[in-house]
Amino acid sequence: HRFEQMHAKALRWPTELFDYIGIDPPKNTGFDLERSTAGELVNAARPFENDPYGCNSPVLQQKRMERNPFHRTPPYELTCPELKSLLHWCGPDLIPISELPWGEIKA
């Protein structure tokens, strides 16, 4: 749900070219899928509803800081300069499709 309806939408990726396959753990593992799904909604999906790029919400800013304690910067801009606009976009509006290399993709 989150990847299909939120992240792919924020990337402006054509929906007809997006296919997400999620795999639930086997029931015999004791994994509580219902509880996990509820936690996913509250802790992962909802914060992105009004902040699709995870830049403006204090909750998502904190998550980002905790995932990068050494303040490392990946070299994505150098290895894929076509994505520079996307990598720096913080919304809250969606990035204009014209800013993306796949803006011209016809499915």
Side-chain angles (χ1 to χ4, degrees):
H1 169 77
R2 174 170 54 115
F3 292 96
E4 197 171 45
Q5 296 179 3
M6 299 175 118
H7 298 320
K9 180 180 176 184
L11 294 173
R12 308 292 300 266
W13 189 256
T15 54
E16 57 276 1
L17 297 177
F18 183 83
D19 191 23
Y20 176 78
I21 300 172
I23 300 175
D24 297 330
K27 292 182 188 237
N28 65 357
T29 64
F31 182 79
D32 189 338
L33 182 60
E34 187 175 319
R35 184 172 171 212
S36 176
T37 301
E40 159 83 8
L41 177 63
V42 171
N43 299 308
R46 283 210 179 114
F48 283 102
E49 287 176 351
N50 296 316
D51 188 9
Y53 300 98
C55 300
N56 303 300
S57 156
V59 170
L60 295 174
Q61 288 173 345
Q62 183 66 33
K63 278 186 173 186
R64 183 176 288 180
M65 285 179 17
E66 289 171 359
R67 290 181 178 153
N68 187 10
F70 302 110
H71 306 287
R72 302 287 311 250
T73 303
Y76 300 136
E77 283 182 39
L78 298 174
T79 59
C80 192
E82 299 87 350
L83 293 181
K84 184 175 182 175
S85 293
L86 177 61
L87 294 171
H88 289 278
W89 191 266
C90 274
D93 296 326
L94 295 180
I95 188 169
I97 193 76
S98 61
E99 294 285 326
L100 301 168
W102 48 86
E104 297 300 318
I105 290 179
K106 304 290 184 219

